[in-house]
Amino acid sequence: MTNQMIKNQYLSDEKLSQWYLLSDTESSVMADFYIKELSNFSSPMLEVNCGNGVILRELLKRDIVCDGVEGSADQIKICKENLESQGLTALLYNDDFSDFIPQQKYNTIFIPRGTFSMITDYKHAQRCLCNFFSALENGGSLLIETFVPWKGISSSLDKNWKIGKTVFNADTNQTFVYSHCDSFDFDEQVCTSLAKYELFDEGRLVESRLDTILSRWYGCNEMKLMLKNAGFDKIDNKQIFVKNSLEYSTLFVATKIS
């Protein structure tokens, strides 16, 4: 195994983006939910961590003005190509959303997919919320999807590697395998995931990479307090994408009244 790992090549960011595209089986469900949810809010909108633009594209098709910010240059490239292929245009920012300060005002800002958890420093997360509060028009709303990894926490004593997804690439006849091993800091509410991505060609490992991914979970009352401290006056929340008692997201809707 060691010799094999030494010989194979490093899996590039571009190949990793391909894996995300192939493995993303929940985007259509997520897009349908957000399109319906966002119909209750006004434009211009800003999607934070827009990825390859699956939600952004559907909003633009409905003549809803929406911009996007995304930290991955590869994802921004894919997003732009997807929009251009359908004659759609949007202002896209390639920037780390945790420090991003929009240069214009929006009526709606939304952060889907639970990506707010990528900010593991509490003060940094609070500053991010303040930035978006400042970027909203009076009466505007911030939508944030968060989740608590209850399933992983409940099995935290299991330190073995777990297979996440196996995806076959029909264009190359190759197979992507994603596996992970998680540990939890309960005091800091931080999950450390060792993420292993492997690309197999006819059963032979040809490319791989090992990433460390940190995420922080926020309790319901904690999130409400952070939004209140950022200046939001009205805060509502509800469970979404409910699979079972251990797997669901929470959508917070915070409105800037003054």
Coordinates of all heavy atoms in Angstrom, one line a residue, residues 75-150:
Q75 N -14.4 26.1 -9.4 CA -15.8 26.1 -9.3 C -16.4 27.3 -10.0 O -17.4 27.3 -10.7 CB -16.3 26.0 -7.9 CG -16.1 24.7 -7.2 CD -17.0 23.6 -7.7 OE1 -18.1 23.9 -8.0 NE2 -16.5 22.4 -7.8
I76 N -15.7 28.5 -9.8 CA -16.1 29.7 -10.5 C -16.0 29.5 -12.0 O -16.9 29.9 -12.8 CB -15.2 30.9 -10.1 CG1 -15.6 31.4 -8.7 CG2 -15.2 32.0 -11.1 CD1 -16.9 32.2 -8.8
K77 N -15.0 28.9 -12.5 CA -14.8 28.6 -13.9 C -16.0 27.8 -14.5 O -16.6 28.1 -15.5 CB -13.5 27.9 -14.2 CG -13.2 27.6 -15.7 CD -11.9 26.9 -15.9 CE -11.7 26.5 -17.3 NZ -10.4 25.7 -17.5
I78 N -16.3 26.7 -13.7 CA -17.4 25.8 -14.1 C -18.7 26.5 -14.1 O -19.5 26.4 -15.0 CB -17.4 24.6 -13.2 CG1 -16.2 23.7 -13.4 CG2 -18.7 23.7 -13.5 CD1 -16.1 22.6 -12.4
C79 N -18.9 27.4 -13.1 CA -20.1 28.1 -12.9 C -20.3 29.1 -14.1 O -21.4 29.1 -14.7 CB -20.1 28.9 -11.6 SG -21.6 29.9 -11.3
K80 N -19.2 29.8 -14.4 CA -19.3 30.7 -15.5 C -19.6 30.0 -16.8 O -20.4 30.5 -17.6 CB -18.0 31.5 -15.6 CG -18.0 32.6 -16.7 CD -16.6 33.3 -16.7 CE -16.6 34.4 -17.8 NZ -15.3 35.2 -17.8
E81 N -19.0 28.9 -17.1 CA -19.2 28.1 -18.3 C -20.6 27.6 -18.4 O -21.3 27.6 -19.4 CB -18.2 26.9 -18.4 CG -16.8 27.4 -18.6 CD -15.8 26.2 -18.5 OE1 -16.2 25.1 -18.1 OE2 -14.6 26.4 -18.9
N82 N -21.2 27.2 -17.2 CA -22.5 26.7 -17.2 C -23.5 27.8 -17.5 O -24.5 27.6 -18.2 CB -22.9 26.1 -15.8 CG -22.2 24.7 -15.6 OD1 -21.8 24.1 -16.6 ND2 -22.1 24.3 -14.3
L83 N -23.3 29.0 -17.0 CA -24.1 30.1 -17.3 C -24.1 30.5 -18.7 O -25.1 30.8 -19.4 CB -23.8 31.3 -16.4 CG -24.0 31.1 -14.8 CD1 -23.6 32.4 -14.1 CD2 -25.4 30.7 -14.5
E84 N -22.8 30.7 -19.2 CA -22.6 31.1 -20.6 C -23.3 30.1 -21.6 O -23.8 30.6 -22.6 CB -21.2 31.3 -20.9 CG -20.5 32.5 -20.2 CD -19.1 32.6 -20.4 OE1 -18.5 31.6 -21.0 OE2 -18.5 33.7 -20.1
S85 N -23.2 28.8 -21.3 CA -23.8 27.8 -22.2 C -25.3 28.0 -22.4 O -25.9 27.5 -23.4 CB -23.5 26.4 -21.7 OG -24.2 26.1 -20.5
Q86 N -25.9 28.7 -21.4 CA -27.4 28.9 -21.5 C -27.7 30.4 -21.7 O -28.9 30.8 -21.5 CB -28.0 28.3 -20.2 CG -27.8 26.9 -20.0 CD -28.6 26.3 -18.9 OE1 -29.7 26.6 -18.6 NE2 -27.9 25.4 -18.1
G87 N -26.7 31.2 -22.1 CA -27.0 32.6 -22.3 C -27.3 33.4 -21.1 O -28.0 34.4 -21.2
L88 N -26.8 33.0 -20.0 CA -27.0 33.7 -18.7 C -25.8 34.4 -18.2 O -24.7 33.9 -18.5 CB -27.5 32.7 -17.6 CG -28.8 31.8 -18.0 CD1 -29.0 30.7 -16.9 CD2 -30.0 32.7 -18.1
T89 N -26.0 35.5 -17.5 CA -24.8 36.2 -17.0 C -25.1 36.6 -15.6 O -26.3 36.9 -15.2 CB -24.5 37.5 -17.8 OG1 -25.7 38.3 -17.8 CG2 -24.1 37.1 -19.2
A90 N -24.0 36.7 -14.8 CA -24.1 37.1 -13.4 C -22.8 37.6 -13.0 O -21.7 37.3 -13.5 CB -24.6 36.0 -12.5
L91 N -22.8 38.5 -12.0 CA -21.5 39.0 -11.4 C -21.0 37.9 -10.5 O -21.7 37.6 -9.5 CB -21.8 40.3 -10.7 CG -20.5 41.0 -10.1 CD1 -19.5 41.3 -11.2 CD2 -21.0 42.3 -9.4
L92 N -19.8 37.4 -10.8 CA -19.2 36.3 -9.9 C -17.9 36.8 -9.3 O -17.1 37.3 -9.9 CB -18.9 35.1 -10.8 CG -20.1 34.5 -11.5 CD1 -19.6 33.3 -12.4 CD2 -21.2 34.0 -10.6
Y93 N -17.9 36.6 -8.0 CA -16.7 36.9 -7.2 C -15.9 35.7 -6.8 O -16.5 34.8 -6.3 CB -17.1 37.7 -5.9 CG -17.8 39.0 -6.1 CD1 -19.2 39.0 -6.1 CD2 -17.2 40.2 -6.3 CE1 -20.0 40.1 -6.3 CE2 -17.9 41.4 -6.5 CZ -19.3 41.3 -6.4 OH -20.0 42.5 -6.6
N94 N -14.6 35.7 -7.1 CA -13.8 34.6 -6.6 C -13.1 35.1 -5.4 O -12.1 35.7 -5.4 CB -12.7 34.2 -7.7 CG -11.9 33.0 -7.3 OD1 -10.8 32.8 -7.9 ND2 -12.2 32.3 -6.3
D95 N -13.7 34.7 -4.2 CA -13.2 35.3 -3.0 C -13.6 34.4 -1.8 O -14.6 33.6 -1.9 CB -13.8 36.7 -2.7 CG -13.0 37.6 -1.8 OD1 -12.2 37.0 -1.0 OD2 -13.1 38.8 -1.9
D96 N -12.9 34.4 -0.7 CA -13.2 33.7 0.5 C -14.4 34.4 1.2 O -14.3 35.6 1.6 CB -12.0 33.7 1.4 CG -12.3 33.0 2.7 OD1 -13.4 32.5 2.9 OD2 -11.3 32.8 3.5
F97 N -15.5 33.7 1.2 CA -16.7 34.4 1.7 C -16.6 34.9 3.2 O -17.3 35.8 3.6 CB -18.0 33.5 1.5 CG -18.2 32.5 2.6 CD1 -18.9 32.8 3.7 CD2 -17.5 31.2 2.5 CE1 -19.1 31.8 4.7 CE2 -17.7 30.3 3.5 CZ -18.5 30.6 4.6
S98 N -15.7 34.2 3.9 CA -15.7 34.6 5.3 C -15.1 36.0 5.6 O -15.4 36.6 6.6 CB -14.8 33.6 6.1 OG -13.5 33.6 5.6
D99 N -14.4 36.5 4.6 CA -13.8 37.9 4.7 C -14.5 38.8 3.6 O -14.1 40.0 3.5 CB -12.3 37.9 4.5 CG -11.6 37.4 5.7 OD1 -12.0 37.8 6.8 OD2 -10.7 36.5 5.6
F100 N -15.4 38.3 2.8 CA -15.9 39.0 1.7 C -16.8 40.1 2.2 O -17.7 39.9 3.0 CB -16.7 38.0 0.8 CG -17.3 38.7 -0.4 CD1 -16.5 39.2 -1.4 CD2 -18.7 38.7 -0.6 CE1 -17.1 39.8 -2.5 CE2 -19.3 39.3 -1.7 CZ -18.4 39.8 -2.7
I101 N -16.6 41.3 1.6 CA -17.4 42.5 1.9 C -18.0 43.0 0.6 O -17.3 43.5 -0.2 CB -16.6 43.6 2.6 CG1 -16.0 43.2 3.9 CG2 -17.5 44.8 2.8 CD1 -15.1 44.2 4.5
P102 N -19.3 42.7 0.3 CA -19.9 43.1 -0.9 C -19.8 44.6 -1.1 O -19.9 45.4 -0.2 CB -21.3 42.6 -0.8 CG -21.3 41.5 0.2 CD -20.2 41.9 1.2
Q103 N -19.6 45.0 -2.4 CA -19.5 46.4 -2.7 C -20.8 47.0 -3.0 O -20.9 48.2 -3.3 CB -18.5 46.6 -3.9 CG -17.1 46.0 -3.6 CD -16.5 46.7 -2.4 OE1 -16.4 47.9 -2.3 NE2 -16.0 45.9 -1.5
Q104 N -21.9 46.3 -3.0 CA -23.2 46.8 -3.3 C -24.2 46.2 -2.3 O -23.9 45.3 -1.6 CB -23.7 46.5 -4.7 CG -23.9 45.0 -5.0 CD -24.3 44.8 -6.4 OE1 -23.5 44.8 -7.3 NE2 -25.6 44.6 -6.6
K105 N -25.4 46.8 -2.2 CA -26.4 46.4 -1.3 C -27.3 45.3 -2.0 O -27.5 45.3 -3.2 CB -27.3 47.5 -0.9 CG -26.6 48.6 -0.1 CD -26.3 48.2 1.4 CE -25.8 49.3 2.2 NZ -25.6 49.0 3.6
Y106 N -27.7 44.3 -1.2 CA -28.6 43.3 -1.7 C -29.9 43.2 -0.8 O -29.9 43.6 0.4 CB -27.9 41.9 -1.6 CG -26.8 41.8 -2.6 CD1 -25.5 42.1 -2.2 CD2 -27.0 41.4 -3.9 CE1 -24.4 42.0 -3.1 CE2 -25.9 41.3 -4.8 CZ -24.7 41.6 -4.4 OH -23.6 41.5 -5.3
N107 N -31.0 42.7 -1.4 CA -32.2 42.5 -0.6 C -32.2 41.1 0.0 O -32.9 40.9 1.0 CB -33.4 42.7 -1.5 CG -33.7 44.2 -1.8 OD1 -33.6 45.0 -0.9 ND2 -34.1 44.5 -3.0
T108 N -31.5 40.2 -0.6 CA -31.4 38.8 -0.1 C -30.0 38.3 -0.2 O -29.4 38.4 -1.3 CB -32.4 37.9 -0.8 OG1 -33.7 38.5 -0.8 CG2 -32.5 36.5 -0.2
I109 N -29.5 37.7 0.8 CA -28.2 37.0 0.8 C -28.5 35.6 1.4 O -29.1 35.5 2.4 CB -27.1 37.7 1.6 CG1 -26.8 39.1 1.0 CG2 -25.8 36.9 1.6 CD1 -25.9 39.9 1.9
F110 N -28.0 34.6 0.7 CA -28.3 33.2 1.2 C -27.0 32.4 1.1 O -26.2 32.5 0.2 CB -29.4 32.6 0.5 CG -29.3 32.3 -1.0 CD1 -28.9 31.1 -1.5 CD2 -29.5 33.4 -1.9 CE1 -28.8 30.9 -2.9 CE2 -29.4 33.2 -3.3 CZ -29.0 31.9 -3.8
I111 N -26.8 31.5 2.2 CA -25.7 30.7 2.3 C -26.2 29.2 2.4 O -26.5 28.8 3.5 CB -24.8 31.0 3.5 CG1 -24.5 32.5 3.6 CG2 -23.5 30.2 3.5 CD1 -23.8 32.9 4.8
P112 N -26.3 28.5 1.3 CA -26.9 27.1 1.3 C -25.8 26.1 1.7 O -24.6 26.4 1.9 CB -27.4 27.0 -0.1 CG -26.4 27.8 -0.9 CD -26.0 28.9 -0.1
R113 N -26.2 24.8 1.7 CA -25.3 23.7 1.8 C -24.6 23.6 3.2 O -23.7 22.8 3.3 CB -24.3 23.6 0.7 CG -24.9 23.5 -0.7 CD -23.8 23.5 -1.7 NE -24.2 23.3 -3.1 CZ -24.3 22.2 -3.7 NH1 -23.9 21.1 -3.1 NH2 -24.7 22.1 -5.0
G114 N -24.9 24.4 4.1 CA -24.3 24.3 5.4 C -22.8 24.8 5.4 O -22.0 24.5 6.3
T115 N -22.4 25.6 4.4 CA -21.0 25.9 4.2 C -20.6 27.0 5.2 O -19.4 27.3 5.3 CB -20.8 26.5 2.8 OG1 -21.7 27.5 2.4 CG2 -20.9 25.3 1.8
F116 N -21.5 27.6 5.9 CA -21.1 28.5 7.0 C -20.3 27.9 8.0 O -19.5 28.5 8.7 CB -22.4 29.1 7.7 CG -22.1 30.2 8.7 CD1 -21.7 31.5 8.2 CD2 -22.2 30.0 10.0 CE1 -21.4 32.5 9.2 CE2 -21.9 31.0 11.0 CZ -21.5 32.2 10.5
S117 N -20.4 26.5 8.2 CA -19.6 25.8 9.2 C -18.2 25.7 8.8 O -17.3 25.4 9.7 CB -20.2 24.3 9.2 OG -20.0 23.6 8.0
M118 N -17.8 26.2 7.6 CA -16.4 26.2 7.2 C -15.6 27.2 8.0 O -14.4 27.2 8.1 CB -16.2 26.5 5.7 CG -16.8 25.4 4.9 SD -17.0 25.9 3.1 CE -15.3 26.3 2.7
I119 N -16.3 28.2 8.6 CA -15.7 29.2 9.5 C -15.6 28.6 10.9 O -16.6 28.6 11.6 CB -16.4 30.5 9.5 CG1 -16.7 31.0 8.1 CG2 -15.7 31.6 10.2 CD1 -17.6 32.3 8.0
T120 N -14.4 28.2 11.3 CA -14.3 27.5 12.6 C -13.9 28.5 13.7 O -14.0 28.1 14.9 CB -13.2 26.4 12.5 OG1 -12.0 27.0 12.0 CG2 -13.6 25.3 11.5
D121 N -13.5 29.7 13.4 CA -13.2 30.7 14.4 C -14.4 31.5 14.8 O -15.0 32.1 13.9 CB -12.1 31.6 14.0 CG -11.7 32.6 15.1 OD1 -10.9 32.3 15.9 OD2 -12.2 33.8 15.0
Y122 N -14.9 31.5 16.0 CA -16.1 32.1 16.4 C -16.1 33.6 16.1 O -17.1 34.1 15.5 CB -16.3 31.9 17.9 CG -17.7 32.4 18.4 CD1 -18.8 31.6 18.4 CD2 -17.8 33.6 18.9 CE1 -20.0 32.0 18.8 CE2 -19.0 34.1 19.4 CZ -20.1 33.3 19.3 OH -21.4 33.8 19.8
K123 N -15.1 34.3 16.4 CA -15.0 35.7 16.2 C -15.1 36.0 14.7 O -15.7 37.0 14.2 CB -13.8 36.4 16.8 CG -13.8 36.3 18.3 CD -12.5 37.0 18.9 CE -12.6 37.0 20.4 NZ -11.4 37.7 21.0
H124 N -14.4 35.2 13.9 CA -14.4 35.3 12.5 C -15.8 35.1 11.9 O -16.3 35.9 11.0 CB -13.4 34.3 11.8 CG -13.0 34.7 10.5 ND1 -12.0 34.0 9.8 CD2 -13.4 35.6 9.6 CE1 -11.8 34.5 8.6 NE2 -12.7 35.4 8.4
A125 N -16.5 34.1 12.4 CA -17.9 33.9 12.0 C -18.8 35.0 12.3 O -19.6 35.4 11.5 CB -18.4 32.6 12.6
Q126 N -18.6 35.6 13.5 CA -19.4 36.7 13.9 C -19.2 37.9 13.0 O -20.1 38.6 12.6 CB -19.1 37.1 15.4 CG -20.0 38.2 15.9 CD -21.4 37.8 16.1 OE1 -21.8 37.0 16.9 NE2 -22.3 38.3 15.2
R127 N -17.9 38.2 12.6 CA -17.5 39.3 11.7 C -18.2 39.1 10.4 O -18.6 40.0 9.7 CB -16.0 39.4 11.6 CG -15.6 40.6 10.8 CD -14.1 40.9 11.0 NE -13.3 39.9 10.4 CZ -12.5 39.0 11.0 NH1 -12.5 39.0 12.4 NH2 -11.7 38.1 10.4
C128 N -18.2 37.8 9.9 CA -18.8 37.5 8.6 C -20.3 37.9 8.6 O -20.8 38.5 7.6 CB -18.6 36.0 8.3 SG -19.4 35.4 6.8
L129 N -21.0 37.5 9.7 CA -22.4 37.9 9.8 C -22.6 39.4 9.8 O -23.6 39.9 9.2 CB -23.0 37.3 11.0 CG -23.1 35.7 11.1 CD1 -23.7 35.3 12.4 CD2 -23.9 35.2 9.9
C130 N -21.7 40.1 10.4 CA -21.8 41.6 10.5 C -21.6 42.1 9.1 O -22.2 43.1 8.7 CB -20.8 42.1 11.4 SG -21.1 41.8 13.2
N131 N -20.6 41.6 8.3 CA -20.4 42.0 6.9 C -21.6 41.9 6.1 O -22.0 42.8 5.3 CB -19.2 41.2 6.3 CG -17.9 41.5 6.9 OD1 -17.7 42.6 7.6 ND2 -16.9 40.7 6.7
F132 N -22.3 40.7 6.2 CA -23.5 40.5 5.4 C -24.7 41.4 5.9 O -25.5 41.8 5.1 CB -23.9 39.1 5.4 CG -22.9 38.2 4.6 CD1 -22.4 37.0 5.1 CD2 -22.6 38.6 3.3 CE1 -21.6 36.3 4.3 CE2 -21.7 37.8 2.6 CZ -21.2 36.7 3.1
F133 N -24.7 41.7 7.2 CA -25.8 42.6 7.7 C -25.6 43.9 7.0 O -26.5 44.6 6.6 CB -25.6 42.7 9.2 CG -26.6 43.7 9.8 CD1 -27.9 43.3 10.1 CD2 -26.2 45.0 10.1 CE1 -28.8 44.2 10.7 CE2 -27.1 45.9 10.6 CZ -28.4 45.5 10.9
S134 N -24.3 44.4 7.0 CA -24.0 45.7 6.4 C -24.4 45.7 4.9 O -24.7 46.8 4.3 CB -22.6 46.1 6.6 OG -22.3 46.2 8.0
A135 N -24.3 44.6 4.2 CA -24.5 44.5 2.8 C -26.0 44.4 2.4 O -26.3 44.4 1.2 CB -23.7 43.3 2.2
L136 N -26.8 44.3 3.4 CA -28.3 44.2 3.1 C -29.0 45.5 3.2 O -28.6 46.4 4.0 CB -28.9 43.3 4.2 CG -28.7 41.7 4.0 CD1 -29.3 41.0 5.3 CD2 -29.4 41.2 2.8
E137 N -29.9 45.7 2.3 CA -30.8 46.8 2.3 C -31.7 46.7 3.6 O -31.9 45.6 4.1 CB -31.7 46.9 1.1 CG -31.0 47.1 -0.2 CD -30.5 48.5 -0.5 OE1 -30.7 49.4 0.4 OE2 -30.1 48.8 -1.6
N138 N -32.2 47.8 4.1 CA -33.2 47.7 5.2 C -34.4 46.9 4.7 O -34.9 47.1 3.6 CB -33.6 49.1 5.6 CG -32.5 49.9 6.3 OD1 -31.6 49.3 6.9 ND2 -32.6 51.2 6.3
G139 N -34.8 46.0 5.5 CA -35.8 45.1 5.2 C -35.4 43.8 4.5 O -36.1 42.9 4.2
G140 N -34.0 43.8 4.2 CA -33.5 42.6 3.5 C -33.3 41.4 4.5 O -33.3 41.6 5.7
S141 N -33.0 40.2 3.9 CA -32.9 39.0 4.7 C -31.7 38.2 4.4 O -31.2 38.2 3.2 CB -34.2 38.1 4.5 OG -35.3 38.8 4.9
L142 N -31.2 37.6 5.4 CA -30.0 36.7 5.3 C -30.6 35.3 5.6 O -31.1 35.0 6.7 CB -28.9 37.0 6.3 CG -27.7 36.1 6.4 CD1 -26.9 36.1 5.1 CD2 -26.8 36.5 7.5
L143 N -30.4 34.3 4.7 CA -30.8 32.9 4.9 C -29.5 32.1 5.0 O -28.6 32.1 4.2 CB -31.6 32.4 3.7 CG -33.0 32.9 3.5 CD1 -33.1 34.3 3.1 CD2 -33.8 32.0 2.5
I144 N -29.4 31.3 6.1 CA -28.3 30.5 6.4 C -28.7 29.1 6.8 O -29.5 28.9 7.6 CB -27.4 31.0 7.6 CG1 -26.9 32.5 7.3 CG2 -26.2 30.1 7.9 CD1 -26.0 33.0 8.4
E145 N -28.2 28.1 6.0 CA -28.4 26.7 6.3 C -27.3 26.2 7.2 O -26.1 26.3 6.8 CB -28.5 25.9 5.0 CG -28.8 24.4 5.3 CD -28.7 23.6 4.0 OE1 -28.9 24.2 2.9 OE2 -28.5 22.4 4.1
T146 N -27.6 25.6 8.3 CA -26.6 25.0 9.2 C -26.9 23.6 9.5 O -28.1 23.2 9.3 CB -26.4 25.8 10.5 OG1 -27.6 25.7 11.3 CG2 -26.2 27.3 10.3
F147 N -26.0 22.9 10.1 CA -26.3 21.5 10.5 C -25.4 21.1 11.7 O -24.2 21.7 11.8 CB -26.2 20.5 9.4 CG -24.7 20.3 8.9 CD1 -23.9 19.3 9.5 CD2 -24.2 21.1 8.0 CE1 -22.6 19.1 9.1 CE2 -22.8 20.9 7.6 CZ -22.1 19.9 8.1
V148 N -25.9 20.3 12.5 CA -25.0 19.7 13.6 C -24.8 18.2 13.2 O -25.7 17.5 12.9 CB -25.8 19.8 15.0 CG1 -24.9 19.1 16.1 CG2 -26.1 21.2 15.3
P149 N -23.5 17.8 13.2 CA -23.2 16.4 12.8 C -23.6 15.3 13.8 O -22.7 14.6 14.3 CB -21.7 16.5 12.5 CG -21.2 17.5 13.5 CD -22.3 18.5 13.6
W150 N -24.9 15.3 14.2 CA -25.3 14.4 15.3 C -24.9 12.9 14.9 O -24.5 12.2 15.8 CB -26.8 14.5 15.5 CG -27.3 15.8 16.0 CD1 -28.1 16.7 15.4 CD2 -26.9 16.4 17.3 NE1 -28.3 17.8 16.2 CE2 -27.6 17.6 17.3 CE3 -26.0 16.0 18.3 CZ2 -27.4 18.5 18.4 CZ3 -25.9 16.9 19.4 CH2 -26.6 18.1 19.4

